[in-house]
Structure formats: C-alpha cells, structure tokens
Amino acid sequence: MKVPLLDLKPQFAQVKDKLVPELIQLMENQTFILGPAVEKMEKELAAYIGTKYALGVSSGTDALLLALMGLKIGAGDEVITTPFSFFATAGCIHRVGAKPVFVDIEADTMNIDAKKIEAAITPKTKAILPVHLFGQCVDMDAINAIAAKHKLAVIEDACQAISSKYRDKQAGSIGTVGCFSFFPSKNLGCFGDGGLVTTNDEALFTRMKALRVHGTVETYMHREVGINGRLDALQAVVVSTKLPLLEGWSEGRRRNAARYDNLFADNRKVSVPKRHPERRHIFNQYVIQVEDRDGLKKHLSDLGIGCAVYYPLSLHQQECFKPLGYRKGDFPVSENAAMHVLALPVYPELPADAIDYVAKTINAYTQKEKPMCSSATA
Ligand SMILES: *Cc1c(COP(=O)(O)O)cnc(C)c1O
C-alpha cells in the first residue's frame, strides 16, 4: 500500500462544484488584485478567528514581515523566538534589520519554553514571536504575562495553526498580531501563495494595510516604504470557499491523530505528540519522535509511505545566522528534536486502514531494531 504524506486531491473534489463557477466569474470580471473578493474573505476570516481586523497578504512570510514592520521593529531591536520552526519565522526578523534571539523549546510539545523567555529579555527586546508549532498553541497566558510585564508585543506565528485553540480563543487572536499562511499544505490552503494578518489594534491594522501596498496612504502618496504584500482575488475565493469546511477537516486530522496515538500506545520506542487538554491541536503535522529516525524514514520511504522531517536543523545552526554567534549545544532540546522528529501522513481524508498500516509498519520496525528490550505490539 502506498500512502502519501499529503494528498490534496480529495479536498479539491469536495469544493470543485462550488469553486469552479466562482473562479470563472472572477475571470469574467477581471479583478485580480485585492478588491471585493479579498475584502469578503478578510471579513469572514476576522469573524472566524475572532479579531476586529484581518488583512489578506501575499504569503505567511509576508504576514510576519508586515507584522514586524507594522510594529516598527527594525535595526537595533531584538525579537525573541524559537529555534525550532520553519525558516521564515527567524528570516523575517533578520529582514527587518532586527536580531532573532532564540529561546529553547519544551521537549514534549516542541514549542518555545515560556519559562526560559524572561532570561533572554534585554533593553533592546521589542517583541516575542512564538510559533504554534504543528498546530498546537504555545502557552499564551504565560507569554502574554511576560509581554505585559516588559511592555513587549506578541506576534503569533499561527501559520500552521488556523482553527487551533487556546482555551476558547482561536490561534492568532490572543497576541498583538496573528500571522497565517494559506500555502497549499496548511490546514486552510489556497492554490498558490497567500497569507493573512489579524489584530484588534486599529492603528496597527491601518499601518499594515498601507505597508501591504508600498506604504501607500492615498494613491501614489507614501509616508513610509512598504512592500508588495497584496493577496490576489483568485486565492481569496479559494480561501472563502474552503473556510466552511475547515472545522470538519481539523476534526478529521484530530481523529486520525487519536487513531495513531492508540496504535502507538504500547510502543515505548515511539513518542507521540503531547497534547494539552486546554489547547485544541489541529495537527497540521502529526510528529512522532523515535531514536533511529533516519533508519525509520528510509524504511518508510522504501515502502512508499510518505514522511518528512520538520525540521532537520535548528535555526541557530543555519549558515546564514552564523554572524549571530550561536553554537551547537546552545539549544540542546531543539537540537535533539531535529534528530528525532518524523511527520506522518495525517490529512483528513486519510483512510483508517492506511493509518493502521503506517502504524503497524512503524511498530514492527522499531521492535526489530533492538529486539533485546522489545515491548512493542506487533
Ligand atoms: C508555512 C510557514 C510560514 C510561511 O508561510 P508561507 O506562506 O510559506 O510564506 C511561516 N511560519 C511557519 C511556522 C510556517 O509553517
């Protein structure tokens, strides 16, 4: 049995009949950049996430960039973030001229360890940029409390966490500003690049809106230099059409994750993702940790089972960040995770027998690997 890590075709089949006529309508209208379709999507997403404002932007990366620029973070400033994330998280901090200051992660959730944040704060710190990694929220109460005490902004990288909740609040509605990605493999994906910023702060919203179109305040009048961070209408229509199905898809991922959890329950060689009871994990990725990760990855790949390593190298060890002066060993929990993580197929339409097959294959492999202390189920 071949099992892809992600198959988006069954999702398209669910929206095709509704979506295709809308895309054709848009092509008839020939209004492709921003405009009514983008504004409609922004209203719907703001209502869903629970913020006053939402702004459609060109990608999750540009969402982060606009959030930082909107908060006037730049040269000489420091932003505290996690070393265990997609590159864009730290890349954007560097791009505005600020310095990413890394804080190690929790071993079980692999999210930034809020207990270690205060020690990293200096007079130059302007913001905390936590990532709701793999679809589970960070400890937002703890982070907001630190931010309030030190007067810092909180930028939520919710690119993997749309529809994830912290208690009764949606990811991206809890900090100063939320950043989302509509990259096709995210839980709410469009047909190309796309993203969103959310906030309750009107002044910040107004600034980000201008910065999205080169800092335009009125046509061809620029108070400051912005970027081309516009979303196109075709992507907004895709997002609007898919939004009503998002809750069901996230439930599907949760159901699949629970099935894996059960199948791995007796296997001490596989660490399943830790779930907080008060945080709704939406499993953009289902990530296990195993000792012989590279061996297991090769074994699964040889059998045609899709799997991937998010992420193989901590951000503080990236070549481009050498000038920051970090060294191997600075963030041991993150470095350890990079060696042991493996993401398994978890997309909502994944059939139960495929999950059973993937888990059985992993249980057999991890059992065989060290027969001496085998306690795994067959
Ligand atoms: C996907 C992702 C981004 C960037 O989003 P793009 O739309 O690809 O630019 C940023 N941060 C995290 C954690 C992501 O997973």
Side-chain angles (χ1 to χ4, degrees):
M1 191 195 293
K2 298 258 183 282
V3 186
L5 179 61
L6 175 66
D7 182 4
L8 290 167
K9 291 188 194 90
Q11 193 183 84
F12 178 55
Q14 294 164 58
V15 294
K16 187 175 175 181
D17 289 347
K18 190 151 180 274
L19 182 56
V20 171
E22 297 204 35
L23 292 175
I24 291 171
Q25 181 68 52
L26 196 74
M27 288 184 257
E28 303 277 6
N29 295 348
Q30 293 284 308
T31 50
F32 293 124
I33 303 291
L34 297 175
V38 173
E39 282 165 29
K40 176 174 174 281
M41 183 280 287
E42 290 170 345
K43 281 208 182 73
E44 292 165 354
L45 267 290
Y48 177 73
I49 291 158
T51 53
K52 277 192 203 150
Y53 309 102
L55 209 51
V57 300
S58 40
S59 67
T61 302
D62 286 341
L64 290 163
L65 199 56
L66 286 166
L68 289 157
M69 292 170 78
L71 289 162
K72 303 188 186 178
I73 290 167
D77 297 333
E78 292 179 359
V79 178
I80 291 175
T81 193
T82 169
F84 198 63
S85 179
F86 178 60
F87 179 76
T89 308
C92 289
I93 298 170
H94 178 87
R95 279 181 60 193
V96 297
K99 181 183 168 195
V101 173
F102 298 112
V103 165
D104 213 349
I105 58 171
E106 300 170 337
D108 50 9
T109 66
M110 294 180 262
N111 273 326
I112 192 168
D113 190 340
K115 292 187 298 299
K116 295 180 180 160
I117 289 178
E118 265 195 304
I121 293 175
T122 76
K124 293 179 178 170
T125 309
K126 288 284 148 52
I128 307 171
L129 202 171
V131 179
H132 305 309
L133 197 69
F134 305 139
Q136 179 166 243
C137 283
V138 301
D139 188 352
M140 283 302 291
D141 278 353
I143 289 174
N144 277 342
I146 296 165
K149 185 173 157 195
H150 297 271
K151 298 196 168 48
L152 308 174
V154 177
I155 302 166
E156 296 180 67
D157 182 339
C159 286
Q160 299 179 3
I162 193 157
S163 81
S164 172
K165 280 184 180 171
Y166 184 83
R167 306 222 167 91
D168 57 343
K169 287 200 175 125
Q170 289 275 346
S173 72
I174 320 162
T176 315
V177 52
C179 302
F180 295 90
S181 167
F182 300 132
F183 187 80
S185 67
K186 310 289 164 128
N187 283 28
L188 183 60
C190 61
F191 289 177
D193 277 310
L196 190 84
V197 284
T198 51
T199 187
N200 289 315
D201 181 333
E202 190 184 354
L204 177 60
F205 166 72
T206 306
R207 282 196 52 150
M208 292 191 296
K209 195 171 175 177
L211 290 165
R212 178 176 66 168
V213 281
H214 301 291
T216 307
V217 277
E218 51 185 291
T219 311
Y220 302 129
M221 298 299 144
H222 305 265
R223 201 174 292 145
E224 58 189 324
V225 178
I227 63 171
N228 173 2
R230 303 174 305 223
L231 182 67
D232 69 74
L234 287 162
Q235 306 308 341
V237 167
V238 176
V239 171
S240 281
T241 309
K242 283 187 173 185
L243 179 62
L245 298 171
L246 174 62
E247 283 289 315
W249 289 333
S250 291
E251 276 313 312
R253 287 172 180 269
R254 289 167 56 77
R255 181 192 61 232
N256 292 344
R259 192 172 185 95
Y260 275 126
D261 283 357
N262 278 331
L263 292 161
F264 292 133
D266 296 326
N267 186 349
R268 278 184 289 137
K269 301 282 183 57
V270 174
S271 302
V272 301
K274 153 107 181 191
R275 300 192 202 196
H276 274 277
E278 297 197 307
R279 302 178 205 174
R280 183 196 195 214
H281 197 328
I282 50 86
F283 295 98
N284 179 246
Q285 302 297 344
Y286 182 90
V287 176
I288 59 167
Q289 295 193 63
V290 286
E291 193 55 42
D292 178 23
R293 192 270 314 279
D294 292 336
L296 177 61
K297 180 170 184 277
K298 185 177 182 306
H299 182 65
L300 295 179
S301 303
D302 288 348
L303 290 169
I305 296 174
C307 57
V309 174
Y310 307 112
Y311 296 92
L313 188 66
S314 288
L315 295 174
H316 69 285
Q317 294 174 282
Q318 294 291 344
E319 191 174 339
C320 61
F321 289 141
K322 261 193 192 144
L324 294 176
Y326 288 111
R327 265 186 247 122
K328 185 169 163 30
D330 281 349
F331 304 105
V333 187
S334 175
E335 291 167 29
N336 189 59
M339 288 189 291
H340 300 299
V341 287
L342 192 63
L344 306 179
V346 74
Y347 61 94
E349 300 83 4
L350 185 67
D353 63 341
I355 298 170
D356 296 352
Y357 169 67
V358 173
K360 207 174 125 193
T361 307
I362 292 171
N363 283 335
Y365 180 87
T366 48
Q367 195 174 36
K368 200 174 70 188
E369 180 203 339
K370 280 168 201 149
M372 294 292 291
C373 45
S374 163
S375 67
T377 51

